[in-house]
Amino acid sequence: MENEERAQLEAQHQKEVDNLKKEVARLTSLLEQVLIDRSGKATLIAQPEDMHVTHFDPYNLGTNRVSSEFQQAMHFQPAYPARISSTIDSIEKGSQKGNMIKKDELNKFIALEQRMRAFEGIHLCDPIKAAEMCLVPNVVIPKNFRVPEFVKYTGIQCPITHLKSYCNKMAEVVDNEKLLIHFFQDSLSDVSLTWYMRLDNTKVKKWKDLVDAFIRQYKFNIDVGPDRLSLQAMEKDNKESIREYARRWSELAAQVDPPMLEKEMINLFSDTFKAPYFEYLVRSSAQHFTDLVVIAKRIEQATGLGKIANPIEKNGFTEGGCQGTYHFYS
C-alpha cells in the first residue's frame, strides 16, 4: 500500500516537472521571436537543463533537503537572469501596444521561474519560531520529570484554592519558577486557558508575576464566594436526595473563609431543613457533620415508608392541622 502511494506521488511530481518544462519552452520561444522581430536576427536564450529527478522522497517535499542533481536542474544557468534583463530592455523599446503584450508574456515567464523556485522550497516563508510563542523561554525540563494530573480551573472556582492545589502537585519542582510558569497552562481549561495564552511574556518574568496576574483576573470569584449567610439560606430541592444535598452543601461550606468548625456546620445545615426534618435534626445529639447526614437519611427513609408523615403545605398551613405540625404512625 505504501509503495503504491509513493508511486502515485512520484508520478504526480514528474507530471508537474514535465508541465513546467513545456511552459519554459513555450515562453522561451516567444521571447526569442521578440528578439528576432526587433533585431532582425535570432538571439538564443540559454535553455534550462533537462529536469531529471534521480530520487523522489515525498517526505522531503517542500523542504531544502533535495538532491544536488534536482537543485541543479531546478536552477537556471547564471547567464539566464542577465539575458532576461537584456530581453526586458529590448521589449521596452517597442511600441506601446507591443510592450503591453510582451511584458505580459515576460511577467508569465518570471512568474513561472518564481513558481519553480517555490516548488523547490527556496522562497518558502520562514516558520514562526516556537521559542517566541512560549511564555517562558529556555525552559529545561528534567529528564525524569512526569507532569502531574491537575484539577482543571475553568474560571469559576476560587483562584487561591487552585494555586494551592497546583503547588502541591508540583512539589517536586516547586523551587523551579520556570517550570511552575510553563506547566501552569496544563492546569487550566476553557476561558482560563485562553487568558494564559494571551499573557505578555515581557510582563511575566517570575512565578509571583503569574500568581498576581491570575488572582487579579479571577478575584471576582473570591468576592462572591459562599459565606455563612448563603449556606444558611440554601434549601433542599424536592427531587434531590439527602445524600446529594449534603454533598452540594458541604462543597460550598468548604469554600467559606475563615473555615467553619464542625459544630457550626451542624447548626447551619440543620437550619436549612423544614418539617419533618428540622425538629429531629435540632434535637439530635450529633457531634459530627457525617452523623447529622446519617440522621437526615433515616428521616428520609421513614418518610418514604409512611412512618413519618410529610406535611403538605397549603396557604401557610398543613393539611389537617396548624402550621408546622406533622403526624406519626406506628
Side-chain angles (χ1 to χ4, degrees), residues 197-213:
M197 293 303 176
R198 293 177 179 175
L199 288 174
D200 187 352
N201 55 12
T202 63
K203 297 180 180 180
V204 180
K205 299 295 185 181
K206 299 179 180 180
W207 169 244
K208 185 178 183 302
D209 298 335
L210 180 60
V211 170
D212 291 343

Side-chain angles (χ1 to χ4, degrees), residues 299-312:
I299 300 173
E300 181 182 45
Q301 293 173 354
T303 303
L305 295 173
K307 294 184 177 181
I308 298 179
N310 192 5
I312 302 175

Side-chain angles (χ1 to χ4, degrees), residues 101-117:
I101 298 175
K102 295 165 188 175
K103 286 182 180 180
D104 181 63
E105 294 295 336
L106 182 61
N107 289 336
K108 290 182 179 180
F109 194 88
I110 295 174
L112 179 62
E113 180 187 8
Q114 294 175 345
R115 182 183 176 190
M116 293 174 68
R117 291 182 180 274

Side-chain angles (χ1 to χ4, degrees), residues 57-267:
D57 188 354
Y59 299 102
N60 290 333
L61 184 62
T63 69
N64 291 330
R65 298 196 299 268
V66 294
S67 64
S68 59
E69 294 184 12
F70 185 66
Q71 290 183 355
Q72 185 177 1
M74 292 297 287
H75 284 83
F76 296 114
Q77 296 297 325
Y80 182 61
R83 284 180 169 78
I84 290 180
S85 178
S86 64
T87 303
I88 295 175
D89 294 337
S90 300
I91 293 175
E92 289 178 349
K93 295 178 182 179
S95 63
Q96 185 69 22
K97 183 177 180 181
N99 276 340
M100 293 177 61
I101 298 175
K102 295 165 188 175
K103 286 182 180 180
D104 181 63
E105 294 295 336
L106 182 61
N107 289 336
K108 290 182 179 180
F109 194 88
I110 295 174
L112 179 62
E113 180 187 8
Q114 294 175 345
R115 182 183 176 190
M116 293 174 68
R117 291 182 180 274
F119 184 75
E120 185 185 4
I122 295 176
H123 295 302
L124 293 177
C125 297
D126 293 334
I128 300 175
K129 294 181 180 179
E132 296 178 356
M133 301 180 67
C134 295
L135 185 60
V136 184
N138 304 322
V139 177
V140 179
I141 301 175
K143 184 177 181 180
N144 297 326
F145 177 72
R146 297 183 62 182
V147 182
E149 291 290 336
F150 299 109
V151 176
K152 302 293 185 180
Y153 186 84
T154 60
I156 61 174
Q157 301 90 349
C158 174
I160 296 178
T161 301
H162 180 74
L163 285 170
K164 290 181 179 179
S165 173
Y166 174 77
C167 289
N168 289 337
K169 290 279 189 178
M170 295 287 286
E172 181 182 353
V173 291
V174 73
D175 294 327
N176 191 325
E177 293 196 359
K178 286 189 174 182
L179 286 183
L180 289 177
I181 298 174
H182 179 72
F183 285 113
F184 190 66
Q185 59 188 311
D186 290 358
S187 71
L188 307 176
S189 65
D190 301 335
V191 294
S192 61
L193 180 59
T194 303
W195 166 83
Y196 177 92
M197 293 303 176
R198 293 177 179 175
L199 288 174
D200 187 352
N201 55 12
T202 63
K203 297 180 180 180
V204 180
K205 299 295 185 181
K206 299 179 180 180
W207 169 244
K208 185 178 183 302
D209 298 335
L210 180 60
V211 170
D212 291 343
F214 183 67
I215 293 178
R216 184 168 55 252
Q217 176 70 19
Y218 295 104
K219 186 176 181 296
F220 174 79
N221 294 328
I222 300 176
D223 297 336
V224 299
D227 55 16
R228 288 161 172 78
L229 290 178
S230 61
L231 288 175
Q232 192 172 14
M234 288 180 63
E235 292 184 2
K236 177 179 131 0
D237 188 84
N238 291 333
K239 298 181 180 180
E240 193 175 28
S241 67
I242 292 294
R243 180 188 295 273
E244 293 170 342
Y245 175 60
R247 182 183 296 111
R248 178 167 64 92
W249 192 92
S250 60
E251 287 177 353
L252 293 177
Q255 302 178 35
V256 173
D257 189 34
M260 294 187 297
L261 299 176
E262 191 110 21
K263 185 176 182 180
E264 186 178 11
M265 289 181 62
I266 292 174
N267 292 334

